[in-house]
Amino acid sequence: MAVAADDAVALRLDEDWLRRKLRLALAIDSRDGIDALGDGVWRLGDSRRSPVLLARDLIRL
């Protein structure tokens, strides 16, 4: 099934939204910012005094 260009934009994952929702779900303090550590790896902040990393691929860590 063909997807129109306008519809493809709506289907694309909003990565910033995902990172913000993960921070809320993990009760990460809002004063901690999201740091880009490299290609597809982010530090979301600290949860229970431990750093929380998000990566597109575990091999990159």
Side-chain angles (χ1 to χ4, degrees), residues 28-48:
I28 295 174
D29 194 355
S30 63
R31 62 188 159 106
D32 295 334
I34 297 173
D35 300 321
L37 300 178
D39 186 32
V41 180
W42 299 269
R43 182 179 182 277
L44 299 180
D46 292 331
S47 179
R48 299 181 189 156

Side-chain angles (χ1 to χ4, degrees), residues 2-25:
V3 177
D6 292 342
D7 293 332
V9 171
L11 295 173
R12 190 171 310 136
L13 174 64
D14 183 355
E15 292 177 349
D16 188 48
W17 174 87
L18 177 62
R19 289 188 290 265
R20 287 192 320 265
K21 292 299 180 181
L22 284 171
R23 284 172 49 95
L24 285 172

